[in-house]
Structure formats: structure tokens, C-alpha cells
Amino acid sequence: MLGAMQDWDLVVTHLIDHAAREYGEREHITYWADGTETRTTWAGVRHDAKRMTQALRAAGVRKGDRIATLAMNHSRHLVTWYGAVGVGGVLHTINPRLFDDQLEYIVTHAEDRVLLYDAAFQPIVDRMRDRWPCVETYVCFDSGDHAPAFEDWIGAHDGDTEWEKVDERDPCMLCYTSGTTGNPKGVLYEHRSTMLHAMAGVQPNLFDADSRTVVLPVVPMFHAASWGLPWAGTIPGIKFVYSQVNDPKVLCGLMDREQVTHSAGVPTVWLAMFNYLDSVGKDVRDVGKLRRAIIGGSAAPKFMIERLMKNGVSVAHAWGMTETSPIGTTGSPPANWDELSFDEQVALVMKQGRPAFGVELRCVDLDDHTKVLPRDGKSSGALQVRGPWVIKRYFKAEEDAVDSDQWFDTGDVAVIHPDGTLQLTDRTKDVIKSGGEWISSVELENAAVGHPAIAEAAAIGIPHPKWDERPILVCVAKPDMIVRAEEVLDHLRDKVAKWWMPDAVEFVDEIPHTGTGKISKKDLRERFRDYVLEKVE
Ligand code: ADP
């Protein structure tokens, strides 16, 4: 027997239809790189998306075709999200910080037919054009010197059209992981998964958004689907404050003037903002009405969480990955939150929070990847995840990326506490195996950067005849600071177990980073490939 409710496919064009209908006048602001500002509304975004759908059809784009963007955060980029899916296409947001070989690989692999880009990335387009034979149409978001300008391109159409009919299991978006190992891999989101993810995203436990919410998303629209904000924001009709540039002075100015309540970004973004506020003798509470900071992408350091919380901002420390759309967990307050001391609250927020409804987590033994570990806050293992917005198979891959029970191996190493709180301890590829036991490179690094003269640190395993591997610590000293290896080791001594102590501390001018700004352990290991430990015992 079937149920007797209506057919209403979970397709993402419903989102923009809803926002335009229910919050049509709600405004969005964009600050452009040339210092000008424009305003639009949810109704304006929908109208432009319809015109873009017509422009795409006129360019020969059909259902299932990939439409790429190479752009920062702005309202035309938001229009593109809905214009691309409106034609039944698949939006592919490209990270402009990728290396040329990766850019060539992903555009070719995705078979992008249209590419819309910011004028600031004209040099990338000029450099890559010959290496992207699949791209037939280029459109420039801001000026039309080298390609049609976006406003002119959609301006030729009236917006009087229907969205392309699609199935809820059809794809709507493609994001590539930055590929710390091997080639980048494509994650193909579908309408249904995106819709469920958007509905989950606005809950109090996650973005905590309602119709009063004003969001300045610092997370770029090309990073893991901008954490789903352009989709989720339609549900309560939030206001977006966008900046095409990532200048903390501009961002703080916008936060203040537009009374921004929510912001989302990786830890380095908050760091840049703190530095700017320090330089003008202000603190977070002096700008706007910020009450929620969503931090994810890498671990949020203690001082950052403390400072935001002392300024009355609730911190949602979230874990996720491109493969999980990306919401996995978030640090929302547990039932006993109000009974905890400030320090206990900070300690809790430093962990990666609890799973959103729709996400299941478990840790399995690192050696055999099958034995399920207890949620005891001690047993650390390979983190696996499953749920309706978690990847099943990479784009164009021949095999599923999950086991027969749908568990996806995240590549992270974690413990799960009895209350369900997740705590990441490492990446599977980076954890160091010494004498049959695992050493967390992340914990060594966190302890090392607590030294006042260390700017950045990375721990890697070096082959060892007796112990299998031993850790060495690679450090970058802060500018004009001199620090000796022995001082770093002294600093670590009461912070990590004796057998975790690095066998050597090396200083470098710079630690290699990936396109998304994370430490590239792969490149670092390559650099220290022939490293010989001084004393082997
Ligand atoms: P990439 O691997 O391409 O950089 P992602 O942005 O998808 O792409 O990165 C996901 C990874 O980032 C996670 O698997 C995890 O290792 C790390 N990560 C994400 N959020 C956090 C967090 N809150 N704390 C620590 N690590 C995190």
C-alpha cells in the first residue's frame, strides 16, 4: 500500500521559489573589488536566475551539462547557483587557488561547457584557455573586456520561463576535493541530498538561522558548497552580506554597518579579523551584532573560541568534508551547558561537536578497519560516516566509495565520547605508528604552536628500524624570533606522553600548503624523504 500524500520532488529550485515568494523583498548586499556596492533581493535573485536559465539554453546548454564558476562571494555568483540548476544543469564551483595542473584536470574531468569568472581571475582564464577545450562559453561576472559581462549576457532575456523538469535524484552540483593525495575527486550532489542538507542546516543546532539572520559568509562559495549556505539561506529568508574581497577591514566594516548576526569561515579567517581588530583597538563585540560564529575546515584553536565566547558569540565548531555536503557535526550546547564553567564550555567547543540528524558516525579499528570501537572517549580509530547527504561514489568512478553497509571512510582519525561528541585526533595518512601504537600528529602540532616563538608546526613520521616510525617536528619560527630545538622539546615535555616526544625538531622557512590552505603533509614527507635520524635506538 502506498501513502496518500502529494508528489513534491525535493528539487532545489523549490528553495528559490519559496524565498522569492515568502521573502521577496529581503535584501542582499555585495561589496565589489572596485569598492562599489550593489543590492538585490530574493525576488531579484530568482528573476536573474530565470534570465540566466534562458541565456544558458540559448548557449545550447542542456540538462545534465556542467556549468563552472571561478569566483569569490557575490550576488551574481548566488544567481548562478540557481540559474545553473534551473536549466537542469550541474553547478561546478572551482577553487581558484588550485594549481594549474589541478585546474586542467578538474575542468576536463567535469567536462564543463560554460565558465563564469571574476575579472580578478582573468589571468587564470588566459593561461588555461587552451588547456580547457571543453569550455565553449566564457562569461565575466564583473566586466566584459574579454568575455560577455554577466549583466549583459542575462540582460538579453526577460525571465519568463519555466525551470527545467528534473528528478530529485538528478545531480545539481559538483565539487572537487582538493586532493591532498592523487588527483582531485569529484563529489556529485543531487537535488534530494542538497535539499535535505539545506533543511538540516538551518536548525538551531547548526546555523541557527531565522528570518532576522544576517549572514556574512567568509567561507568562499567554492569551498565545499559554501557549507550549503546559498541553499539553506532561502528557507528562513536570511539576508546575505557578501564581499568579493577578503580584507578584514572591509569585512568588519560591513559587519558593523549591516548589523551582521552570523558568520562562517575557516580558523585563519577569524585570526585575520582578530589581528585587524587589535590594530584598531577594538574587539568582536564592537562590530555589529555577531552572535554566532561557525568555524570549520580545520580545528578551531582554544584562544579563538575563548575570545569569541568572551565577546558573547556562540561558537559552532563544525566538522565536515566535501564528501558530506559538508555538514557532519557541530558543537551545539548539550543539555547541561548552563551548569558548565566557562573553561568546561570552551573545552567542549574545542571538540568537533555532535552529529546533525541525518548523519551517523562510528570509529573502527585503525589496523583492520572493521572492528567497531566503543564510544568511550578513549578508543581512537578511523572515522566513518553515512547518511543521505554523504557520498556514495566519486564522479565517474567505477566503484562505490562506501562498504556494503554504506559506511564511508573519512580518512580522519577520531574518538567518540559517550555523549556522542566527536573529537578529531588526526588524518589516517598522517598518524604516526611507533612500536605498534599510534601517535597523533595533530596533538603534537597543537602543543608545539603553544610555544610563543612558533608560528606553525607539522609532525611527520620518519622510518625507524626498531619502532617502525618515529615523529619529527618541522617548525616555522615567528618573524624575528629565534628558538632552538631543545627549547621546543622542553616546552613539549609536560604536554605529551614521553614516547610521543619528537626524535628531532627541524626549522624551515615555510611549510607547504594545499590549495585550500591546509598543511600538505604529502609534500612535507616528500621533502624529508631521505631524512636520517641522528640517533637510532
Ligand atoms: P579537502 O580535503 O579537499 O581540503 P575538505 O574541505 O572537504 O577538503 O576537508 C575535509 C577535512 O577537513 C576533514 O576530513 C577533516 O580532516 C578536516 N576538518 C574539517 N573540519 C574540521 C574541524 N572542525 N576540525 C578539524 N579538522 C577538520
Side-chain angles (χ1 to χ4, degrees), residues 59-89:
V61 174
R62 296 288 170 259
K63 197 166 157 179
D65 285 346
R66 268 75 73 196
I67 298 131
T69 60
L70 193 63
M72 300 304 287
N73 294 356
H74 49 74
S75 58
R76 289 177 199 143
H77 203 170
L78 180 65
V79 167
T80 301
W81 284 50
Y82 290 100
V85 298
V87 75

Side-chain angles (χ1 to χ4, degrees), residues 88-387:
V90 177
L91 172 78
H92 172 204
T93 45
I94 303 174
N95 179 351
R97 295 181 199 132
L98 295 179
F99 308 114
D100 285 3
D101 287 349
Q102 293 173 319
L103 288 170
E104 175 179 345
Y105 177 83
I106 64 169
V107 171
T108 316
H109 188 262
E111 298 172 78
D112 294 324
R113 291 191 61 194
V114 180
L115 191 135
L116 299 102
Y117 64 96
D118 283 357
F121 302 129
Q122 186 69 49
I124 301 182
V125 172
D126 291 343
R127 215 167 56 229
M128 299 302 298
R129 207 182 263 262
D130 290 344
R131 297 166 73 176
W132 288 339
C134 51
V135 180
E136 297 152 30
T137 307
Y138 287 88
V139 179
C140 183
F141 275 123
D142 3 30
S143 88
D145 292 348
H146 302 267
F150 184 75
E151 294 292 336
D152 299 336
W153 185 60
I154 63 169
H157 302 276
D158 61 6
D160 186 12
T161 188
E162 297 297 317
W163 304 124
E164 193 69 30
K165 184 114 189 65
V166 292
D167 187 88
E168 64 176 25
R169 300 304 294 252
D170 283 342
C172 65
M173 186 164 190
L174 178 62
C175 286
Y176 282 78
T177 62
S178 64
T180 25
T181 52
N183 275 327
K185 292 192 219 112
V187 184
L188 191 63
Y189 307 125
E190 57 192 30
H191 283 264
R192 174 179 179 269
S193 70
T194 305
M195 194 77 150
L196 293 171
H197 182 265
M199 288 158 81
V202 290
Q203 294 171 40
N205 277 353
L206 292 156
F207 292 128
D208 189 19
D210 63 32
S211 298
R212 297 164 299 173
T213 302
V214 182
V215 184
L216 191 153
V218 191
V219 54
M221 291 173 87
F222 54 77
H223 187 201
S226 199
W227 302 355
L229 279 165
W231 307 121
T234 56
I235 294 175
I238 65 176
K239 166 174 170 169
F240 281 123
V241 177
Y242 286 128
S243 173
Q244 205 182 16
V245 289
N246 249 338
D247 174 352
K249 185 174 173 198
V250 171
L251 299 181
C252 288
L254 286 169
M255 279 190 170
D256 200 19
R257 200 192 65 200
E258 299 299 327
Q259 298 286 293
V260 167
T261 58
H262 290 49
S263 190
V266 295
T268 44
V269 161
W270 298 98
L271 200 59
M273 193 179 294
F274 290 172
N275 289 343
Y276 167 73
L277 289 171
D278 289 342
S279 74
V280 293
K282 287 190 174 171
D283 212 336
V284 180
R285 64 163 58 84
D286 303 319
V287 286
K289 283 205 282 201
L290 195 68
R291 64 176 176 84
R292 189 148 179 102
I294 298 112
I295 309 183
S298 47
K302 185 173 181 204
F303 75 90
M304 192 171 284
I305 294 170
E306 271 175 352
R307 182 157 173 184
L308 286 163
M309 283 175 54
K310 280 186 183 151
N311 276 274
V313 179
S314 82
V315 179
H317 183 198
W319 165 85
M321 55 200 311
T322 307
E323 286 88 336
T324 62
S325 291
I327 294 171
T329 64
T330 178
S332 54
N336 65 344
W337 178 256
D338 293 333
E339 292 146 34
L340 301 178
S341 68
F342 181 76
D343 289 345
E344 286 168 332
Q345 290 179 341
V346 170
L348 191 63
V349 178
M350 281 177 68
K351 301 188 179 94
Q352 277 77 7
R354 289 174 299 162
F357 171 71
V359 174
E360 291 177 52
L361 296 179
R362 69 174 191 184
C363 284
V364 295
D365 191 279
L366 266 178
D367 288 311
D368 68 10
H369 272 238
T370 49
K371 191 174 137 234
V372 181
L373 300 177
R375 293 157 68 122
D376 58 5
K378 293 194 287 279
S379 310
S380 114
L383 178 67
Q384 299 188 329
V385 59
R386 68 178 180 189

